[in-house]
Amino acid sequence: MAARAGLAVAYGSRLAGHGGSVLGGRVTLALDARALPRLSEGRTIALVSGTNGKTTTTGLLAAALGTGGSVVTNDSGANLPYGLVAALTADLAAGTAVLEVDEGALPPVVAATRPAVVVLLNLSRDQLDRYGEVRMIAARWRGALADAPGAHVVANADDPIVVWAARAAASVTWVGAGQSWREDAATCPACGHQLRWDGAAWACGSCDLARPEPALSVDGDTLVSRRGERIAVELRLPGRCNVANAAMAAAAAQHLGVPTARAVAAMSETTEVAGRYRVVRVGSSLARLLLAKNPAGWVEALDLLRPPPLPVVVAINARVADGRDPSWLWDVPFERLRGRSVVASGERAADLAVRLRYADVEHETCSDPLDAVRGLGAPAVDLAANYTAFQGVVGATARAG
Amino acid sequence: MPADSVVGIALLHPELLGTYGDGGNALVLAQRLRWRGVEAEVLPVHAGEPVPSSCELYVLGGGEDAPQALAAAELGDGALARAVDRGAVVFAVCAGFQILGHEFLIAEGPRPGLGLLDCTTVRRAPRRAVGELVVEPDARLGLTTLTGYENHAGLTELGPDVRPLGRVMAGAGNAGDGREGAVVGRVVGTYLHGPALARNPALADLLLSWVMGRELAPVDDGDVERLRHERLAAALGRRARLRGWRRRVAIPVTR
């Protein structure tokens, strides 16, 4: 009943021009506090969490599992309990749900949904004002996984903090998905001693925490199984990070009975997830939209920028969902933008402008990202934005289109 | 000012004390020297490496409990104390500030600090202090208002041998007692992230003037002035609005 009321509100909210899912989910949860376990019961639930790549991995996994029957998912990125409730309510007949979960909300969501699979991508600094520090999140994950013996975990073997968290689970598939950001993994999350790195391998100098042998690894654009089988991944999404996301999704799909070759074929049809990498027309320009939310994500995003003289707009907000403290801008190697045409944009353009000044990056400042693109007057622009700035651009260009 | 005229800035254990972007402080110091024609070099010092004895500035940032404890153990060999004795400048933020005191607290219990600042952090606030922090600096420092962002649970109490960096105008500061940071000689500790020296170029130039032994020529701080204006308005806005309201109410009375 509560789910139906929520659906009705979602429908009304969509008619009124708002994104329907969140409001509908809020109403359902208000009417039935146990809506999440009730809506999950009898369904195969796959959860996806981590700092970066949640939305894309959720989209890829939903595509892979969609080959075997109908799937509900929250691939718009509404990843708190009311967003999950809204997704689960959208098609009550769907037997499988693929749900992206906020890393802070994962413990209660694991308890409520009794998932078949939990995909743990990576953990790095993000929204330190809201989440607290990285190890605190990992410790809460450990508690939740230890209390969920039915959940199979698919975890990134290349992220020591994720490995420590996943070792609390009853069963784990390790994936060598890579992790280029190591600044949060200098010390062992288990015992605090220094971690030793040797290429991709890592181990604690004191306790037994070490990189587990992966069942599936990423080698360029190819997935390699432990037995040496190689499956080429031809994604329509750019970058190393998305091959890694596909590897994590493929391992989860395989655990749920979808062979890797079939999963990879289904994932190759995905062209964008929730606006990421979308190309939009802004005035006379075609702007490609890139999302990066934290230092680890920005390192990947800077790799994806097309070469100069193509100009770049960087848009930064610092709302609650972004983290209120943009000090992390100083962890991003913006020096790599030197010599390019750059516009500092977003609600915290002033913070970014100072960072760029110290990086010796010449820049203009324009707080509205779309005005920034228009002002450049270039035929093609890369527009890289953090979370709420990105959502603002996706929303504004969708309305205009 | 050293004879070889390259100013060395040691960034201590950025992989342990770099969680909050405080490594930017070293970059700010180096760039503000270069813009004035002074050569500067940032030397990141990683765990297991000796602390260089010849730098003019030593910079520490914020970090999580376990890395903080490891950094303190690494720095406990006396090299930093010897640098302070020969007049080097130390600027430490958050966990780095706590390490400079006599004792600091991690989840597993108290740990000995370096004792370079007369302060202790052995109590934890029931709620983490998170948000914009505005500080009216000690008048003797000749600085403008300090702006930054704090994110800490540790409560730092000052002893008689240090004075606070300033008084809290908005935010929590050291221990909710109105005091923020600590200064003795050329050693400065603070809870200001942002990074602190990016948001407060006058503080950066004060540290650099201690190294250079003279006042420094002004540089173009247009970008940072816009940022300071924005941040101070955001942090003090509510107070300013309240004052405005009081004024409006007061007018009929004074008539």
Side-chain angles (χ1 to χ4, degrees), chain A residues 268-306:
Chain A
S268 70
E269 302 295 316
T270 302
T271 52
E272 64 155 89
V273 179
R276 290 140 175 86
Y277 318 109
R278 182 181 291 172
V279 175
V280 296
R281 177 163 289 284
V282 182
S284 59
S285 301
L286 288 175
R288 189 178 61 146
L289 310 183
L290 299 162
L291 170 70
K293 299 181 287 191
N294 44 55
W298 278 97
V299 169
E300 306 269 10
L302 291 173
D303 280 338
L304 294 178
L305 294 178
R306 290 171 284 176

Side-chain angles (χ1 to χ4, degrees), chain B residues 172-219:
Chain B
N174 289 351
D177 56 1
R179 303 198 278 190
E180 204 298 307
V183 185
V184 65
R186 294 178 169 191
V187 180
V188 179
T190 179
Y191 277 110
L192 292 162
H193 298 295
L197 301 183
R199 284 212 202 172
N200 303 288
L203 179 56
D205 285 353
L206 176 67
L207 304 182
L208 293 174
S209 73
W210 290 347
V211 171
M212 303 299 287
R214 58 178 161 85
E215 291 282 305
L216 298 162
V219 295

